[in-house]
Amino acid sequence: MPDQPPNPAPRAEITRLSFRLPTGEILQFVLDRPALRIGRSRSNEICLVDPSISGRHADVSLHDGYWALRDLNSRNGIYVNGTRKHLCALRSGDGGRLGRVSFRFESSGGGDTETDPGASTTFLERPHVLCCKCRLPIFEDLFATGQALRLGESAFCPQCRHPLLGKEVAGHRLDDVLDPIGPVLVFRGLHAKTGEPRAVKLLLDGAPQSPQPIPTEEAIARTRFLREAVCLELLDHPGIVRVHEGGIWQHQFEELSPPTWVQTPWFAMEYIDGENLLRTVNGRGPLPAAEAVRLASLAAEALEHAASKGVVHRDLRPANFLLPRSGGVKLINFGLAKLMGAPKITQPKSALGPPGYIAAEQMEDPSKADFRSDLFSLGAVLFFALTGERPIETDSSLDYLQKVRQTPPPRVRDLLPDLPEELDVVLGKMMARDPRSRHASYAKLRKDLDRLQK
């Protein structure tokens, strides 16, 4: 929920955004469009070259005539007037920092100007519901981004959205939130008997304990969740997160009105001390070529094992590559995986995963994805690890599909000319537009990747 200032500044008064880099350099950008993305990547409308800035750090956009600043899950966050925020409405003269880069919103008059005293009311006329705990308003876009949580008729704002913390799930006491996005949540839990930490994944779909029919979308989400647990039970490889146990947790949500008994699917996995590739690259910059190629080779070995068990991941992207502090890589989040022989869930032309890392054939019909689709995605992830940018920078699925069909794979040496030509050749083959032109097996891919490391 945007923190509402006393007098949010109308669009007409906010004309530019000024930044001061740690070097002392001052950059100014005119707010001449309804939304601008801020980050270290050159694909952003506002590019800030500083190690503390994530590749896609934040965006500033109009909401009913008022500017709002939103954190895009950056590593170092955004601070407005000294307080860390997730989404914040702004007024003329507000200042703060993104990472180590300070900023200030400036009005066309050059300072704080008097605003419409009714502006606050206008801002709150946006569709919203009240948090069932703190009674603050929650705007609908926060549910879409996963920052707020809706369970049945009850809603929880970003500050109150984890009512399960401290509760025990089948002998696992939930003590921290690892992944707060969407109805599928991942907690760190301590096993009551062994005391070892585990990653506990739950599907909070609010399904009642009584045998009532579950809506179609919720039923599909539950099927995917349970299929992920089945896939992980089939797989036994050091490059894939290991599952311990799971089931259906029957418990009462006292926070709901009225208190309701619900059935929550869950499973416990090994807890990995580390961070994902997305946060690593956004926070520290692209990986050295040798390290990126080594991680891709390790991931290819894990994917080869999955393919041998009839599992196609279908959601390979940097956030699903976990980098343990002890080294190596762990593939996680098999929620969209295809299991050979299992009933089909996804309909044709229902793209799975975000644009940027998906092969064209998977976007057109996810049910036809095979190991070559994962191989394409692995190439796109390797491109990101090397450059900090997606091979095709767009958030539009239609635009992405058109480009991934009609344009040749991007050359990494266009961005990093010092890299060997052979690396471009291997990446071009991994991301070939025609699946038949990609590597015929993971073994052949690994041979190419291993040769690059010599």
Side-chain angles (χ1 to χ4, degrees):
M1 180 191 68
D3 294 299
Q4 182 193 345
N7 294 304
R11 178 184 182 184
E13 294 181 358
I14 299 296
T15 57
R16 65 181 182 270
L17 184 57
S18 301
F19 296 91
R20 181 186 293 273
L21 301 179
T23 59
E25 181 182 4
I26 296 178
L27 304 175
Q28 292 187 341
F29 297 87
V30 176
L31 303 184
D32 57 357
R33 62 191 71 182
L36 298 94
R37 194 171 60 219
I38 308 168
R40 194 180 64 246
S41 170
R42 286 175 289 181
S43 62
N44 297 298
E45 290 82 5
I46 298 177
C47 178
L48 302 175
V49 182
D50 185 80
S52 68
I53 299 294
S54 297
R56 295 154 58 90
H57 197 110
D59 63 21
V60 58
S61 57
L62 281 171
H63 294 269
D64 291 339
Y66 299 95
W67 291 103
L69 183 66
R70 179 179 60 164
D71 187 4
L72 299 178
N73 294 319
S74 65
R75 180 178 178 84
N76 294 317
I78 63 174
Y79 292 79
V80 179
N81 299 329
T83 303
R84 186 162 186 168
K85 305 292 185 183
H86 293 287
L87 182 65
C88 181
L90 294 154
R91 62 178 179 180
S92 178
D94 276 348
R97 61 181 176 86
L98 282 66
R100 298 186 305 161
V101 178
S102 60
F103 72 87
R104 180 178 174 84
F105 275 88
E106 298 177 307
S107 70
S108 55
D112 292 341
T113 57
E114 186 176 354
T115 57
D116 179 4
S120 299
T121 302
T122 302
F123 191 79
L124 285 175
E125 284 176 356
R126 292 172 53 201
H128 67 276
V129 296
L130 297 181
C131 176
C132 66
K133 297 187 73 174
C134 67
R135 308 306 294 170
L136 290 175
I138 309 172
F139 299 112
E140 287 298 322
D141 54 353
L142 292 186
F143 295 112
T145 59
Q147 296 179 67
L149 175 66
R150 181 183 277 122
L151 290 173
E153 298 299 321
S154 300
F156 300 84
C157 73
Q159 288 72 35
C160 303
R161 64 154 296 154
H162 302 302
L164 294 181
L165 281 176
K167 294 191 176 182
E168 189 170 297
V169 179
H172 300 84
R173 184 174 180 83
L174 308 182
D175 68 351
D176 193 13
V177 182
L178 302 179
D179 187 351
I181 302 301
V184 177
L185 300 180
V186 183
F187 293 84
R188 191 180 86 123
L190 295 178
H191 193 270
K193 293 183 178 179
T194 65
E196 69 175 355
R198 290 181 176 178
V200 182
K201 197 167 190 174
L202 303 99
L203 173 61
L204 297 182
D205 58 5
Q209 187 178 23
S210 58
Q212 298 180 11
I214 302 176
T216 302
E217 290 186 6
E218 283 82 352
I220 292 175
R222 181 167 282 221
T223 300
R224 289 199 189 285
F225 186 90
L226 297 176
R227 182 169 294 181
E228 178 179 12
V230 171
C231 288
L232 290 177
E233 285 183 334
L234 288 173
L235 306 178
D236 183 16
H237 190 275
I240 298 174
V241 67
R242 186 174 71 255
V243 67
H244 290 294
E245 56 183 314
I248 302 294
W249 176 38
Q250 298 186 10
H251 61 108
Q252 186 179 38
F253 256 125
E254 298 176 353
E255 292 82 3
L256 298 181
S257 181
T260 305
W261 283 90
V262 297
Q263 295 179 328
T264 299
W266 70 277
F267 58 86
M269 305 170 287
E270 62 176 321
Y271 173 77
I272 307 298
D273 183 19
E275 65 179 3
N276 64 49
L277 178 62
L278 178 65
R279 284 190 172 273
T280 296
V281 173
N282 281 345
R284 306 174 195 171
L287 303 183
E291 183 180 354
V293 170
R294 183 181 65 85
L295 290 177
S297 181
L298 292 174
E301 182 182 334
L303 290 168
E304 183 178 27
H305 170 75
S308 72
K309 300 294 184 179
V311 176
V312 181
H313 193 287
R314 294 197 302 187
D315 193 21
L316 292 174
R317 48 195 167 99
N320 290 336
F321 284 63
L322 193 58
L323 307 182
R325 301 193 192 283
S326 57
V329 64
K330 292 274 189 181
L331 299 182
I332 60 174
N333 288 341
F334 282 71
L336 299 182
K338 173 184 175 181
L339 179 60
M340 299 300 180
K344 185 169 69 172
I345 303 173
T346 308
Q347 298 300 315
K349 298 184 179 180
S350 299
L352 295 178
Y357 304 97
I358 309 175
E361 72 273 9
Q362 180 176 321
M363 290 199 72
E364 293 169 341
D365 187 353
S367 67
K368 294 183 179 179
D370 59 20
F371 84 91
R372 295 171 300 180
S373 306
D374 275 356
L375 200 152
F376 175 98
S377 299
L378 179 58
V381 171
L382 175 55
F383 185 95
F384 172 82
L386 290 165
T387 66
E389 299 185 12
R390 296 180 295 179
I392 297 177
E393 285 288 356
T394 179
D395 292 320
S396 165
S397 296
L398 290 177
D399 185 38
Y400 176 81
L401 182 58
Q402 182 180 14
K403 290 179 178 178
V404 82
R405 277 175 175 167
Q406 300 177 0
T407 61
R411 290 173 48 85
V412 70
R413 294 181 76 246
D414 288 344
L415 297 175
L416 301 169
D418 292 337
L419 292 181
E421 176 69 28
E422 189 176 1
L423 180 53
D424 250 338
V425 174
V426 174
L427 273 171
K429 192 170 184 178
M430 294 174 73
M431 293 189 289
R433 288 0 188 181
D434 185 346
R436 295 170 296 184
S437 299
R438 298 171 200 154
H439 293 81
S441 67
Y442 281 115
K444 292 185 177 181
L445 169 62
R446 288 168 55 203
K447 184 177 180 180
D448 278 353
L449 294 174
D450 291 345
R451 187 169 59 251
L452 286 171
Q453 297 180 69
K454 295 179 180 179

